[in-house]
Amino acid sequence: MKMPHILLIYTGGTIGMIRDFNSGTLRSFNFDELLKHIPELNLLDCTIETQSLAAPIDSSNMTPEIWVQLAHLIEENYNHFDGFVILHGSDTMSYSASALSFMLEGLIKPVIFTGSQLPIGDLRTDAKENLITAIQIAAMREADQMLVQEVCVYFEYKLYRGNRTTKINAEHFQAFASFNYPSLAESGVNLAFNKTALFRSLGRELRVQTKMHARIALIKLFPGMTQEVFEQMLLVPRLEGVILETFGSGNVPNRSWLNSALENTIAKGVPVVSVTQCSGGSVQLGMYETSEALVDMGVISGFDMTTETALAKMAYLLGEGKKGPEFKQAYESPLRGEITKN
Ligand code: ASP
């Protein structure tokens, strides 16, 4: 059998920087010279090709347009490669992994995002382990299929479902967590996979959706939020969707102005989704009196989705042209393993 062929895509972020020993500053690293800088990659049981964004970015500058570029890159190269590794800054990696998970429907090959907290040229770097293991995972086969067939994040010895991750630490090597779904694999002396947790799509044909509508308001409620601020956020012209970060299991203050503002928004055909501000657990609309009104007015439940995924899923379903009950039905269904639902 031929060695797996992996496409390594560099988008930017700390991982792609090296420290200039004279000045101490960080500068971007020429990815064409990757194998020269990390000779360990030559020891892997796979062949690697690299591609870089024309202008690599700090991931704080990530945009839906770049998600589209990445999705096209994977689509164009899908038949020539067995797996994809995307090097990405950690700051918005969870958003990008969530977005790509929706945009790449019917995926049966691995797309592994990774990055690092320290540049690849730093003595104490976490980049080498992250990069090498991410490539190894992307190259793993079982029978005649790729073992991983979904969009993941690999960071600090753990493989996660990408759309379940959140960046939790700006300093520790363990920068990500997946509070509502177990990790898919752990790297120790061996790579231990949690095989029953791996996602398998129903379709086997890759379908790439590249319309992501981002005219979305993300509103985090807080005690004392004023009527004026709340109402103004919902009055943005051409608003297409609202994600409300609510308290606990989906609760909001019992205020008539808040209910009216939401009702008016929904009446205009703008979907409103509730996700919890908690790191773990799920929205359960109607569990308390403080969320009953939301059920009556047709607020959509984000269940145990992360905020990052809630946003990406909304952008994706709006891009698919879904409206009204069809939007709600699709939104509340698990499409890529992003919701825990019995
Ligand atoms: N600011 C950087 C980025 O997200 C941090 C990192 O690379 O982890 O691009």
Side-chain angles (χ1 to χ4, degrees), residues 12-15 57-60 88-92 116-117 167:
T14 307
I15 192 165
I57 54 162
D58 182 298
S59 78
S60 306
H88 192 292
S90 60
D91 289 348
T92 62
S116 64
Q117 294 282 52
K167 183 169 180 182

Side-chain angles (χ1 to χ4, degrees), residues 164 180 219 221 242-252 272-288 290-295 298-307 310 328 331-332 338-342:
R164 293 294 197 146
N180 286 330
I219 306 177
L221 297 179
V242 177
I243 311 276
L244 267 190
E245 266 203 6
T246 53
F247 304 127
S249 53
N251 305 313
V252 300
V272 176
V273 166
S274 167
V275 289
T276 175
Q277 295 182 7
C278 299
S279 313
S282 180
V283 161
Q284 281 180 276
L285 292 181
M287 183 173 170
Y288 289 90
T290 41
S291 67
E292 256 181 340
L294 302 186
V295 181
V299 167
I300 298 167
S301 177
F303 296 101
D304 63 344
M305 268 188 267
T306 61
T307 298
K328 181 169 163 51
Y331 201 94
E332 292 186 340
E338 75 284 7
I339 300 180
T340 312
K341 247 185 136 179
N342 306 322

Side-chain angles (χ1 to χ4, degrees), residues 72-121:
H72 277 312
L73 202 58
I74 290 172
E75 184 178 29
E76 284 154 18
N77 289 288
Y78 196 65
N79 294 330
H80 308 301
F81 290 88
D82 300 292
F84 301 85
V85 174
I86 302 184
L87 302 180
H88 192 292
S90 60
D91 289 348
T92 62
M93 191 184 289
S94 295
Y95 291 91
S96 296
S98 299
L100 267 290
S101 78
F102 295 113
M103 295 165 88
L104 305 174
E105 186 182 344
L107 192 67
I108 52 165
K109 296 184 178 182
V111 175
I112 317 284
F113 279 78
T114 194
S116 64
Q117 294 282 52
L118 284 176
I120 206 150

Side-chain angles (χ1 to χ4, degrees), residues 32-166:
D32 299 335
E33 295 181 6
L34 181 74
L35 293 176
K36 205 167 93 195
H37 286 277
I38 314 172
E40 295 92 326
L41 293 179
N42 289 311
L43 303 175
L44 295 175
D45 286 333
C46 60
T47 50
I48 303 168
E49 272 183 47
T50 58
Q51 285 226 16
S52 175
L53 288 188
I57 54 162
D58 182 298
S59 78
S60 306
N61 289 318
M62 187 47 70
T63 60
E65 289 72 30
I66 302 180
W67 292 338
V68 171
Q69 272 185 45
L70 291 174
H72 277 312
L73 202 58
I74 290 172
E75 184 178 29
E76 284 154 18
N77 289 288
Y78 196 65
N79 294 330
H80 308 301
F81 290 88
D82 300 292
F84 301 85
V85 174
I86 302 184
L87 302 180
H88 192 292
S90 60
D91 289 348
T92 62
M93 191 184 289
S94 295
Y95 291 91
S96 296
S98 299
L100 267 290
S101 78
F102 295 113
M103 295 165 88
L104 305 174
E105 186 182 344
L107 192 67
I108 52 165
K109 296 184 178 182
V111 175
I112 317 284
F113 279 78
T114 194
S116 64
Q117 294 282 52
L118 284 176
I120 206 150
D122 220 271
L123 268 184
R124 293 178 51 250
T125 190
D126 51 332
K128 279 195 184 175
E129 198 286 322
N130 285 348
L131 173 62
I132 290 169
T133 310
I135 295 175
Q136 273 186 322
I137 290 172
M140 288 176 87
R141 290 190 177 119
E142 190 171 68
D144 55 355
Q145 297 187 12
M146 298 317 287
L147 176 59
V148 175
Q149 304 186 3
E150 59 184 293
V151 178
C152 297
V153 165
Y154 180 78
F155 224 90
E156 189 62 3
Y157 302 108
K158 284 200 175 151
L159 181 73
Y160 305 99
R161 174 162 304 150
N163 61 31
R164 293 294 197 146
T165 60
T166 300

